[in-house]
Amino acid sequence: MGRKQKETVELRFYEIPQGEPVLALLGEEWNRVYGHDNFYLHFHNLMEIGICRKGEGELIINEHTYTYRTNSVTLIPPNIPHTTISNGMVRNSWEFLYVDVNHVMEELYGDRIAQKNEAIELVRRSAHLLHGSEYPEIAEIVNAIIREEKKQSPYYRQVITSYLHALVYEMFRLNEQTQTRLEAAGSGTMRQIADALTFVNDHYQEEVKVCTLAQVCGMSETSFRKVFEEYVHMLPMDYVNLVRVQYACEQMKHGNDSMDEVARKVGFSTTSTFNRNFKKFFNTSPYQWKINPQRYERKLQNFHINALKGW
């Protein structure tokens, strides 16, 4: 295929339905030609687990390209740019699960903070492209979760949670036994700022400063700002506020808190700052969005973060 990547990467923000262990994207909608009409790399706030039911093509992780085929399984941690491209204009069939890694680790480790943080780091270390025949245990766990999602028999949530715990332990094995299956964030710019993106997703409710983001990346604040803005084409604090606005939408969908309380919960110091940033990304107020979220939702989903200059 050898197509040149466009200079755009998308942040695709997904939320897990309230009370559910995973977000499952299943069905006919995901039987499509991938990557030919919208050839952008993208990254998620959640871990993506995919299984190819039928087809073949390329999985691109940053500048690295890998081949997938029927029964391939992908395990892609948050904040890793990637995309799928079908061979030719042939429809491929995929099914996807999205998982909140932090929540799973909370279930496994509770208040054992050191062990929990170590486990989160281990899972986030590498992305994986595996073939089901070579890793039957992992393929079966993924298939079992999807079966439970489709049937939704009594106690399916508890059963899925148990499978997720088993999958995490399988990922521990993968990441300890191999240096990498795929490049976690490449050797280029994304690797330099990936820790900052992860920090924002984990700490958006707190006061976040640019100097702290630079510190977690092991860079001076001046260098961090330059690299971040060159790569993302967005100021670091604008990115922080984008993530906060996305979580605010989730809060408003599932609760009846006042706007003051929503603003506080997602990390805005004042309601006026919340309103200003919300309007910046949606061109409407939080109150108007809450009345009719469907009208405005596509605006945020279509918000592109320009990046990957020169690819």
Side-chain angles (χ1 to χ4, degrees):
M1 281 169 265
R3 297 173 59 181
K4 180 177 174 61
Q5 298 177 29
K6 292 183 179 179
E7 297 178 5
T8 298
V9 65
E10 300 174 349
L11 166 60
R12 295 185 183 174
F13 182 91
Y14 286 150
E15 59 177 296
I16 296 173
Q18 191 170 23
E20 296 294 328
V22 299
L23 168 67
L25 302 185
L26 313 173
E28 188 60 29
E29 181 183 356
W30 305 101
N31 180 10
R32 58 172 71 168
V33 176
Y34 283 84
H36 289 266
D37 58 342
N38 183 10
F39 188 62
Y40 295 133
L41 292 178
H42 62 272
F43 63 97
H44 302 285
N45 58 310
L46 301 173
M47 168 169 279
E48 179 184 278
I49 301 168
I51 185 163
C52 180
R53 297 302 187 192
K54 183 179 180 181
E56 59 183 18
E58 293 180 346
L59 173 67
I60 298 178
I61 305 282
N62 283 298
E63 66 267 39
H64 302 281
T65 301
Y66 309 89
T67 301
Y68 72 81
R69 59 189 188 275
T70 300
N71 294 325
S72 288
V73 175
T74 58
L75 306 170
I76 303 179
N79 300 325
I80 296 183
H82 62 282
T83 195
T84 303
I85 309 172
S86 309
N87 278 347
M89 296 302 291
V90 178
R91 292 169 71 90
N92 284 198
S93 180
W94 281 82
E95 293 182 308
F96 298 100
L97 302 168
Y98 290 89
V99 179
D100 184 338
V101 174
N102 288 15
H103 181 70
V104 174
M105 296 311 178
E106 287 280 354
E107 295 171 335
L108 286 173
Y109 293 96
D111 58 1
R112 292 176 289 167
I113 296 174
Q115 294 94 325
K116 179 178 65 179
N117 290 342
E118 184 179 351
I120 290 171
E121 268 310 303
L122 186 56
V123 167
R124 286 176 168 172
R125 181 180 299 168
S126 301
H128 298 272
L129 173 61
L130 312 170
H131 197 267
S133 62
E134 298 170 358
Y135 295 88
E137 297 87 358
I138 290 178
E140 179 49 37
I141 292 171
V142 174
N143 281 318
I145 294 173
I146 291 173
R147 284 197 301 269
E148 291 291 335
E149 272 292 330
K150 289 178 176 178
K151 291 168 60 179
Q152 296 199 356
S153 300
Y155 306 107
Y156 77 94
R157 295 181 182 90
Q158 293 87 337
V159 173
I160 289 175
T161 297
S162 297
Y163 283 132
L164 287 177
H165 294 172
L167 182 61
V168 163
Y169 289 121
E170 291 291 344
M171 292 185 69
F172 288 169
R173 290 173 174 173
L174 283 173
N175 288 345
E176 287 181 345
Q177 291 171 358
T178 60
Q179 185 67 28
T180 54
R181 284 286 160 193
L182 304 180
E183 292 294 326
S187 57
T189 309
M190 188 64 185
R191 177 65 268 170
Q192 293 178 267
I193 64 171
D195 288 342
L197 301 181
T198 298
F199 185 91
V200 171
N201 200 56
D202 292 346
H203 299 278
Y204 67 92
Q205 295 168 300
E206 307 165 15
E207 182 181 9
V208 178
K209 296 182 178 180
V210 177
C211 61
T212 304
L213 299 179
Q215 185 177 11
V216 300
C217 294
M219 303 170 68
S220 70
E221 184 174 338
T222 301
S223 296
F224 173 77
R225 286 181 182 274
K226 180 180 179 181
V227 171
F228 193 97
E229 292 171 29
E230 180 180 0
Y231 185 84
V232 180
H233 291 193
M234 177 182 288
L235 297 172
M237 288 310 302
D238 283 345
Y239 178 81
V240 173
N241 290 329
L242 169 63
V243 171
R244 287 171 171 162
V245 165
Q246 291 169 321
Y247 278 106
C249 293
E250 185 176 348
Q251 293 275 345
M252 289 189 289
K253 276 184 179 179
H254 301 303
N256 293 307
D257 291 332
S258 68
M259 293 305 165
D260 290 346
E261 187 66 12
V262 171
R264 184 190 65 78
K265 284 184 175 180
V266 299
F268 286 107
S269 56
T270 66
T271 305
S272 61
T273 304
F274 170 48
N275 291 338
R276 184 172 66 252
N277 280 280
F278 199 97
K279 189 168 185 179
K280 178 178 181 177
F281 296 115
F282 275 114
N283 198 31
T284 191
S285 70
Y287 178 76
Q288 288 297 324
W289 186 95
K290 187 172 176 63
I291 292 173
N292 187 6
Q294 290 77 18
R295 178 180 175 187
Y296 301 103
E297 207 148 55
R298 292 295 302 174
K299 290 187 179 181
L300 193 54
Q301 290 174 354
N302 291 336
F303 188 91
H304 292 178
I305 301 174
N306 295 321
L308 310 178
K309 185 176 180 180
W311 284 19

